[in-house]
Coordinates of all heavy atoms in Angstrom, one line a residue:
E1 N 145.5 -137.8 -36.8 CA 146.6 -137.1 -36.3 C 146.2 -135.6 -36.0 O 145.4 -135.1 -36.8 CB 147.7 -137.1 -37.3 CG 149.0 -136.3 -36.9 CD 150.0 -136.4 -38.0 OE1 150.2 -137.4 -38.5 OE2 150.7 -135.3 -38.2
L2 N 146.6 -135.1 -34.9 CA 146.2 -133.7 -34.5 C 147.4 -132.8 -34.6 O 148.5 -133.1 -34.3 CB 145.7 -133.8 -33.1 CG 144.5 -134.6 -32.8 CD1 144.1 -134.6 -31.3 CD2 143.3 -134.2 -33.6
R3 N 147.0 -131.5 -35.0 CA 148.0 -130.4 -35.0 C 147.6 -129.5 -33.8 O 146.5 -129.2 -33.6 CB 147.8 -129.7 -36.3 CG 148.9 -128.8 -36.7 CD 148.6 -128.2 -38.1 NE 147.8 -129.0 -38.9 CZ 147.2 -128.6 -40.0 NH1 147.3 -127.3 -40.4 NH2 146.4 -129.3 -40.8
Y4 N 148.7 -129.1 -33.1 CA 148.5 -128.2 -31.9 C 147.6 -128.8 -30.9 O 147.0 -128.2 -30.1 CB 147.9 -126.8 -32.3 CG 148.7 -126.1 -33.4 CD1 148.2 -125.8 -34.6 CD2 150.1 -125.8 -33.2 CE1 148.9 -125.2 -35.6 CE2 150.8 -125.2 -34.1 CZ 150.2 -124.9 -35.3 OH 150.9 -124.3 -36.3
G5 N 147.5 -130.2 -30.9 CA 146.8 -130.8 -29.8 C 145.3 -131.0 -30.0 O 144.7 -131.8 -29.4
F6 N 144.7 -130.2 -31.0 CA 143.3 -130.4 -31.2 C 142.8 -130.2 -32.6 O 141.7 -130.6 -33.0 CB 142.4 -129.6 -30.2 CG 142.4 -128.1 -30.6 CD1 141.3 -127.6 -31.3 CD2 143.4 -127.3 -30.3 CE1 141.3 -126.3 -31.7 CE2 143.4 -125.9 -30.6 CZ 142.3 -125.4 -31.3
L7 N 143.7 -129.7 -33.5 CA 143.3 -129.5 -34.9 C 143.6 -130.7 -35.7 O 144.7 -131.2 -35.7 CB 144.0 -128.2 -35.5 CG 143.7 -126.9 -34.9 CD1 144.6 -125.8 -35.5 CD2 142.2 -126.6 -35.0
P8 N 142.6 -131.2 -36.5 CA 142.9 -132.4 -37.3 C 143.9 -132.1 -38.4 O 143.7 -131.1 -39.2 CB 141.6 -132.8 -37.8 CG 140.7 -131.6 -37.7 CD 141.3 -130.8 -36.6
A9 N 144.9 -132.9 -38.6 CA 145.9 -132.8 -39.7 C 145.7 -133.9 -40.8 O 145.9 -133.6 -41.9 CB 147.3 -132.9 -39.2
R10 N 145.2 -135.0 -40.4 CA 144.8 -136.1 -41.3 C 144.0 -137.1 -40.5 O 143.9 -137.1 -39.3 CB 146.0 -136.8 -41.9 CG 147.0 -137.4 -40.9 CD 148.2 -138.0 -41.6 NE 149.1 -138.5 -40.6 CZ 150.2 -139.1 -40.9 NH1 150.6 -139.2 -42.2 NH2 151.0 -139.5 -39.9
F11 N 143.2 -137.9 -41.3 CA 142.3 -138.9 -40.7 C 142.2 -140.0 -41.7 O 142.4 -139.9 -42.8 CB 141.0 -138.3 -40.3 CG 140.2 -137.7 -41.5 CD1 139.2 -138.5 -42.1 CD2 140.4 -136.5 -42.0 CE1 138.5 -138.1 -43.2 CE2 139.6 -136.0 -43.0 CZ 138.7 -136.8 -43.7
R12 N 141.7 -141.1 -41.1 CA 141.5 -142.3 -41.9 C 140.0 -142.8 -41.8 O 139.5 -142.8 -40.8 CB 142.4 -143.5 -41.4 CG 142.4 -144.7 -42.2 CD 143.3 -145.8 -41.6 NE 144.6 -145.4 -41.4 CZ 145.6 -145.4 -42.2 NH1 145.4 -145.8 -43.4 NH2 146.8 -145.0 -41.9
Q13 N 139.5 -143.1 -43.0 CA 138.1 -143.6 -43.1 C 138.1 -144.8 -44.0 O 138.5 -144.6 -45.2 CB 137.1 -142.5 -43.5 CG 135.7 -143.1 -43.5 CD 134.7 -142.1 -44.1 OE1 135.0 -141.3 -45.0 NE2 133.5 -142.2 -43.6
N14 N 137.6 -145.9 -43.6 CA 137.5 -147.1 -44.4 C 138.9 -147.5 -45.0 O 138.9 -147.8 -46.2 CB 136.4 -146.9 -45.5 CG 135.0 -146.7 -44.9 OD1 134.7 -147.3 -43.9 ND2 134.2 -146.0 -45.6
G15 N 139.9 -147.3 -44.3 CA 141.2 -147.6 -44.7 C 141.9 -146.6 -45.6 O 143.1 -146.8 -46.0
V16 N 141.2 -145.5 -46.0 CA 141.8 -144.5 -46.8 C 142.3 -143.3 -45.9 O 141.5 -142.8 -45.1 CB 140.8 -144.0 -47.9 CG1 141.3 -142.8 -48.7 CG2 140.3 -145.1 -48.7
L17 N 143.5 -142.9 -46.2 CA 144.1 -141.8 -45.4 C 143.8 -140.5 -46.1 O 144.2 -140.3 -47.3 CB 145.6 -142.0 -45.2 CG 146.3 -141.0 -44.3 CD1 145.8 -141.0 -42.9 CD2 147.8 -141.2 -44.3
Y18 N 143.2 -139.5 -45.4 CA 143.0 -138.2 -46.0 C 143.8 -137.1 -45.3 O 143.9 -137.1 -44.1 CB 141.5 -137.8 -45.8 CG 140.5 -138.7 -46.6 CD1 140.0 -139.8 -45.9 CD2 140.2 -138.5 -47.9 CE1 139.1 -140.7 -46.6 CE2 139.4 -139.3 -48.6 CZ 138.8 -140.5 -47.9 OH 138.0 -141.3 -48.6
R19 N 144.5 -136.3 -46.0 CA 145.3 -135.2 -45.5 C 144.5 -133.9 -45.5 O 144.0 -133.6 -46.6 CB 146.6 -135.1 -46.2 CG 147.6 -134.1 -45.6 CD 148.9 -134.1 -46.3 NE 148.9 -133.8 -47.7 CZ 148.9 -132.6 -48.2 NH1 148.9 -131.6 -47.4 NH2 148.8 -132.4 -49.5
V20 N 144.5 -133.2 -44.4 CA 143.8 -131.9 -44.4 C 144.6 -130.8 -44.9 O 145.8 -130.6 -44.5 CB 143.4 -131.6 -42.9 CG1 142.8 -130.2 -42.8 CG2 142.5 -132.7 -42.3
V21 N 144.1 -130.1 -45.9 CA 144.8 -129.0 -46.5 C 144.5 -127.7 -45.8 O 145.4 -126.9 -45.5 CB 144.4 -128.8 -48.0 CG1 145.0 -127.6 -48.6 CG2 144.8 -130.1 -48.8
R22 N 143.2 -127.5 -45.4 CA 142.9 -126.3 -44.7 C 141.6 -126.6 -43.9 O 140.7 -127.3 -44.3 CB 142.8 -125.1 -45.6 CG 141.5 -124.6 -45.9 CD 141.5 -123.4 -46.9 NE 140.6 -123.7 -48.0 CZ 140.8 -124.2 -49.2 NH1 142.1 -124.5 -49.4 NH2 139.9 -124.5 -50.0
I23 N 141.5 -125.9 -42.7 CA 140.3 -125.9 -41.9 C 139.6 -124.6 -42.2 O 140.1 -123.5 -42.0 CB 140.7 -126.0 -40.4 CG1 141.5 -127.3 -40.2 CG2 139.5 -125.9 -39.5 CD1 142.1 -127.5 -38.8
E24 N 138.4 -124.8 -42.7 CA 137.6 -123.6 -43.1 C 136.8 -123.0 -42.0 O 136.5 -121.8 -42.0 CB 136.7 -124.0 -44.3 CG 137.6 -124.4 -45.5 CD 136.8 -124.8 -46.7 OE1 135.6 -125.3 -46.6 OE2 137.3 -124.7 -47.8
Q25 N 136.4 -123.8 -41.1 CA 135.5 -123.3 -40.0 C 135.6 -124.3 -38.8 O 135.7 -125.5 -39.0 CB 134.1 -123.2 -40.5 CG 133.2 -122.5 -39.5 CD 131.7 -122.3 -40.1 OE1 131.4 -122.8 -41.2 NE2 130.9 -121.7 -39.3
I26 N 135.5 -123.8 -37.6 CA 135.4 -124.6 -36.4 C 134.3 -124.0 -35.6 O 134.1 -122.8 -35.4 CB 136.7 -124.5 -35.6 CG1 137.9 -124.9 -36.4 CG2 136.6 -125.3 -34.3 CD1 139.2 -124.6 -35.7
W27 N 133.4 -124.9 -35.0 CA 132.4 -124.5 -34.1 C 132.1 -125.6 -33.1 O 132.5 -126.7 -33.3 CB 131.1 -124.1 -34.9 CG 130.4 -125.2 -35.6 CD1 129.3 -125.9 -35.2 CD2 130.7 -125.8 -36.9 NE1 128.9 -126.9 -36.1 CE2 129.8 -126.8 -37.1 CE3 131.7 -125.5 -37.8 CZ2 129.8 -127.6 -38.3 CZ3 131.7 -126.3 -39.0 CH2 130.8 -127.3 -39.2
E28 N 131.4 -125.2 -32.1 CA 131.1 -126.2 -31.0 C 129.6 -126.3 -30.9 O 128.9 -125.3 -31.0 CB 131.8 -125.9 -29.7 CG 133.3 -126.0 -29.8 CD 133.9 -125.9 -28.4 OE1 133.3 -125.8 -27.4 OE2 135.2 -126.0 -28.4
K29 N 129.1 -127.5 -30.6 CA 127.7 -127.7 -30.4 C 127.5 -128.3 -29.0 O 128.1 -129.3 -28.7 CB 127.1 -128.7 -31.4 CG 127.1 -128.1 -32.8 CD 126.7 -129.1 -34.0 CE 126.1 -130.3 -33.7 NZ 125.8 -131.1 -34.9
P30 N 126.7 -127.6 -28.2 CA 126.5 -128.1 -26.8 C 125.7 -129.4 -26.9 O 124.8 -129.5 -27.7 CB 125.8 -127.0 -26.1 CG 125.2 -126.2 -27.2 CD 126.1 -126.3 -28.4
G31 N 126.0 -130.3 -26.0 CA 125.3 -131.6 -25.9 C 123.9 -131.4 -25.2 O 123.7 -130.4 -24.6
G32 N 123.1 -132.4 -25.4 CA 121.8 -132.3 -24.7 C 121.8 -133.4 -23.6 O 122.8 -133.8 -23.1
L33 N 120.6 -133.8 -23.3 CA 120.4 -134.8 -22.3 C 121.1 -136.1 -22.6 O 121.7 -136.7 -21.7 CB 118.9 -135.0 -22.1 CG 118.5 -135.9 -20.9 CD1 119.1 -135.3 -19.6 CD2 117.0 -136.0 -20.8
F34 N 121.1 -136.5 -23.9 CA 121.6 -137.8 -24.2 C 122.8 -137.7 -25.3 O 123.2 -138.7 -25.9 CB 120.5 -138.8 -24.8 CG 119.4 -139.0 -23.9 CD1 118.2 -138.4 -24.0 CD2 119.7 -139.9 -22.8 CE1 117.2 -138.7 -23.1 CE2 118.7 -140.1 -21.9 CZ 117.4 -139.6 -22.0
Q35 N 123.3 -136.5 -25.4 CA 124.4 -136.3 -26.4 C 125.5 -135.5 -25.8 O 125.2 -134.6 -25.1 CB 123.8 -135.7 -27.7 CG 124.8 -135.6 -28.8 CD 124.1 -135.0 -30.1 OE1 123.1 -134.4 -30.0 NE2 124.8 -135.2 -31.2
A36 N 126.7 -135.9 -26.1 CA 127.9 -135.2 -25.6 C 128.1 -133.9 -26.3 O 127.7 -133.7 -27.5 CB 129.1 -136.0 -25.7
D37 N 128.9 -132.9 -25.7 CA 129.3 -131.7 -26.4 C 130.2 -132.1 -27.6 O 130.9 -133.1 -27.6 CB 130.2 -130.8 -25.5 CG 129.4 -130.3 -24.3 OD1 128.1 -130.3 -24.4 OD2 130.0 -129.8 -23.4
Q38 N 130.1 -131.4 -28.7 CA 130.8 -131.7 -29.9 C 131.6 -130.5 -30.4 O 131.2 -129.4 -30.3 CB 129.8 -132.1 -31.0 CG 129.0 -133.4 -30.7 CD 128.1 -133.7 -31.8 OE1 127.6 -132.8 -32.5 NE2 127.7 -135.0 -31.9
R39 N 132.7 -130.8 -31.0 CA 133.5 -129.8 -31.7 C 133.5 -130.2 -33.2 O 133.8 -131.4 -33.5 CB 135.0 -129.7 -31.2 CG 135.8 -128.6 -31.9 CD 137.1 -128.5 -31.3 NE 137.0 -127.9 -30.0 CZ 137.6 -128.4 -28.9 NH1 138.5 -129.4 -29.0 NH2 137.5 -127.9 -27.7
C40 N 133.1 -129.3 -34.1 CA 133.0 -129.6 -35.5 C 134.0 -128.8 -36.3 O 134.3 -127.7 -36.0 CB 131.6 -129.2 -36.0 SG 130.3 -130.0 -35.0
F41 N 134.5 -129.5 -37.4 CA 135.6 -128.9 -38.2 C 135.1 -129.0 -39.7 O 134.9 -130.2 -40.2 CB 136.9 -129.6 -38.1 CG 137.5 -129.6 -36.7 CD1 137.2 -130.6 -35.8 CD2 138.3 -128.6 -36.3 CE1 137.7 -130.6 -34.5 CE2 138.9 -128.6 -35.0 CZ 138.5 -129.6 -34.1
A42 N 134.9 -127.9 -40.4 CA 134.7 -128.0 -41.8 C 136.0 -128.0 -42.5 O 136.8 -127.1 -42.3 CB 133.9 -126.8 -42.3
L43 N 136.3 -129.0 -43.3 CA 137.7 -129.3 -43.8 C 137.7 -129.3 -45.3 O 136.7 -129.7 -46.0 CB 138.2 -130.6 -43.3 CG 138.3 -130.9 -41.8 CD1 138.7 -132.3 -41.6 CD2 139.1 -129.9 -41.1
C44 N 138.9 -128.9 -45.9 CA 139.2 -129.2 -47.2 C 140.4 -130.1 -47.3 O 141.4 -129.8 -46.7 CB 139.5 -127.8 -48.0 SG 139.8 -128.1 -49.7
C45 N 140.2 -131.2 -47.9 CA 141.3 -132.2 -48.0 C 141.9 -132.1 -49.4 O 141.5 -131.3 -50.3 CB 140.8 -133.6 -47.8 SG 140.0 -133.8 -46.2
V46 N 143.0 -132.9 -49.7 CA 143.6 -133.0 -51.0 C 142.6 -133.3 -52.0 O 141.5 -133.9 -51.7 CB 144.8 -134.0 -51.0 CG1 146.0 -133.5 -50.2 CG2 144.4 -135.3 -50.6
N47 N 142.8 -132.9 -53.3 CA 141.9 -133.1 -54.4 C 140.6 -132.3 -54.2 O 139.5 -132.7 -54.7 CB 141.6 -134.6 -54.7 CG 142.9 -135.3 -55.0 OD1 143.8 -134.7 -55.6 ND2 142.9 -136.6 -54.8
D48 N 140.6 -131.3 -53.4 CA 139.4 -130.4 -53.1 C 138.2 -131.2 -52.5 O 137.1 -130.8 -52.7 CB 139.1 -129.6 -54.4 CG 138.4 -128.3 -54.0 OD1 138.7 -127.7 -53.0 OD2 137.5 -127.9 -54.8
L49 N 138.5 -132.3 -51.8 CA 137.4 -133.0 -51.1 C 137.0 -132.2 -49.9 O 137.9 -131.7 -49.2 CB 137.8 -134.4 -50.7 CG 138.1 -135.4 -51.9 CD1 138.7 -136.6 -51.3 CD2 136.8 -135.7 -52.6
R50 N 135.7 -132.1 -49.6 CA 135.3 -131.3 -48.4 C 134.4 -132.2 -47.6 O 133.7 -133.0 -48.0 CB 134.5 -130.1 -48.9 CG 135.3 -129.1 -49.7 CD 134.5 -127.9 -50.1 NE 135.3 -127.1 -51.0 CZ 136.3 -126.3 -50.7 NH1 136.6 -126.2 -49.4 NH2 136.9 -125.5 -51.6
C51 N 134.6 -132.0 -46.2 CA 133.9 -132.8 -45.3 C 133.8 -132.1 -44.0 O 134.4 -131.0 -43.8 CB 134.5 -134.2 -45.1 SG 136.1 -134.1 -44.2
T52 N 133.0 -132.6 -43.1 CA 132.9 -132.1 -41.7 C 133.3 -133.3 -40.8 O 132.8 -134.4 -40.8 CB 131.5 -131.7 -41.4 OG1 131.1 -130.7 -42.3 CG2 131.4 -131.2 -40.0
L53 N 134.3 -133.0 -39.9 CA 134.7 -133.9 -38.9 C 134.1 -133.5 -37.6 O 134.1 -132.3 -37.3 CB 136.2 -133.9 -38.7 CG 137.1 -134.8 -39.6 CD1 138.5 -134.6 -39.2 CD2 136.7 -136.2 -39.4
V54 N 133.5 -134.4 -36.9 CA 132.8 -134.1 -35.6 C 133.4 -134.9 -34.5 O 133.5 -136.1 -34.6 CB 131.3 -134.4 -35.7 CG1 130.6 -134.1 -34.4 CG2 130.6 -133.6 -36.8
Q55 N 133.9 -134.2 -33.5 CA 134.5 -134.8 -32.3 C 133.6 -134.8 -31.1 O 133.2 -133.7 -30.7 CB 135.8 -134.2 -32.0 CG 136.6 -134.7 -30.8 CD 137.8 -133.9 -30.4 OE1 137.8 -132.7 -30.7 NE2 138.7 -134.6 -29.7
A56 N 133.3 -135.9 -30.5 CA 132.5 -136.0 -29.3 C 133.6 -135.7 -28.2 O 134.5 -136.5 -28.0 CB 131.9 -137.3 -29.1
L57 N 133.5 -134.6 -27.5 CA 134.5 -134.1 -26.6 C 134.8 -135.0 -25.4 O 135.9 -135.2 -25.1 CB 134.2 -132.7 -26.2 CG 134.3 -131.6 -27.3 CD1 133.9 -130.3 -26.8 CD2 135.6 -131.6 -28.0
H58 N 133.7 -135.5 -24.8 CA 133.9 -136.3 -23.6 C 134.5 -137.7 -23.9 O 135.3 -138.2 -23.2 CB 132.7 -136.4 -22.8 CG 132.2 -135.0 -22.3 ND1 132.9 -134.3 -21.4 CD2 131.1 -134.3 -22.6 CE1 132.3 -133.2 -21.1 NE2 131.2 -133.1 -21.9
A59 N 134.0 -138.3 -25.0 CA 134.4 -139.6 -25.4 C 135.7 -139.7 -26.2 O 136.3 -140.7 -26.3 CB 133.2 -140.3 -26.2
G60 N 135.9 -138.5 -26.9 CA 137.1 -138.5 -27.8 C 136.9 -139.2 -29.1 O 137.9 -139.6 -29.8
T61 N 135.7 -139.5 -29.5 CA 135.4 -140.2 -30.7 C 135.2 -139.2 -31.9 O 134.9 -138.0 -31.6 CB 134.2 -141.1 -30.6 OG1 133.1 -140.3 -30.2 CG2 134.5 -142.2 -29.6
W62 N 135.4 -139.7 -33.1 CA 135.3 -138.8 -34.3 C 134.3 -139.5 -35.3 O 134.2 -140.6 -35.4 CB 136.6 -138.7 -34.9 CG 137.6 -138.0 -34.1 CD1 138.4 -138.5 -33.1 CD2 138.0 -136.6 -34.3 NE1 139.2 -137.5 -32.6 CE2 139.1 -136.3 -33.3 CE3 137.7 -135.5 -35.1 CZ2 139.7 -135.1 -33.1 CZ3 138.3 -134.3 -34.9 CH2 139.2 -134.1 -33.9
Q63 N 133.6 -138.6 -36.0 CA 132.8 -139.0 -37.2 C 133.1 -138.1 -38.3 O 133.4 -136.9 -38.1 CB 131.3 -138.9 -36.8 CG 130.8 -139.9 -35.8 CD 129.3 -139.7 -35.7 OE1 128.9 -138.7 -35.2 NE2 128.5 -140.7 -36.1
V64 N 132.9 -138.6 -39.5 CA 133.2 -137.8 -40.7 C 131.8 -137.8 -41.5 O 131.2 -138.8 -41.6 CB 134.3 -138.3 -41.6 CG1 134.1 -139.7 -42.1 CG2 134.6 -137.3 -42.7
F65 N 131.5 -136.6 -42.1 CA 130.3 -136.4 -42.9 C 130.7 -135.8 -44.2 O 131.3 -134.7 -44.2 CB 129.2 -135.6 -42.2 CG 128.8 -136.2 -40.9 CD1 129.3 -135.8 -39.7 CD2 127.8 -137.1 -40.9 CE1 128.9 -136.3 -38.5 CE2 127.3 -137.7 -39.7 CZ 127.9 -137.3 -38.5
W66 N 130.5 -136.5 -45.3 CA 130.9 -135.9 -46.6 C 129.8 -135.1 -47.2 O 128.6 -135.3 -47.0 CB 131.2 -137.1 -47.6 CG 132.4 -137.8 -47.1 CD1 132.5 -139.0 -46.4 CD2 133.8 -137.4 -47.2 NE1 133.7 -139.4 -46.1 CE2 134.6 -138.4 -46.6 CE3 134.4 -136.3 -47.8 CZ2 136.0 -138.3 -46.6 CZ3 135.8 -136.3 -47.8 CH2 136.6 -137.3 -47.1

């Protein structure tokens, strides 16, 4: 689920729903020859879980890194 059209509000991984409490940092990584441009979000979720969500901008796909 997105807030304001591009900020993540919650996400699901392996059937578990995580709610975003705060976005600590946002940055963009330009793509290379074989990789798309990416938008990265450093997040704090409930229970003080922290992760990075990475969005491939052209494909619209997401990855989570704990």
Side-chain angles (χ1 to χ4, degrees):
E1 180 178 319
L2 299 177
R3 196 176 335 164
Y4 305 118
F6 76 98
L7 297 175
R10 60 185 176 178
F11 63 94
R12 185 181 308 272
Q13 183 188 30
N14 298 327
V16 178
L17 185 64
Y18 296 93
R19 187 173 57 85
V20 176
V21 174
R22 109 182 128 263
I23 298 172
E24 298 179 335
Q25 187 177 6
I26 302 172
W27 68 98
E28 292 192 3
K29 294 175 12 181
L33 187 58
F34 299 106
Q35 189 175 13
D37 293 343
Q38 297 177 333
R39 182 175 292 133
C40 305
F41 301 89
L43 306 175
C44 181
C45 299
V46 290
N47 298 332
D48 207 31
L49 293 172
R50 297 180 187 285
C51 68
T52 301
L53 272 181
V54 178
Q55 178 187 25
L57 295 177
H58 298 294
T61 58
W62 295 80
Q63 288 183 296
V64 62
F65 298 96
W66 295 99

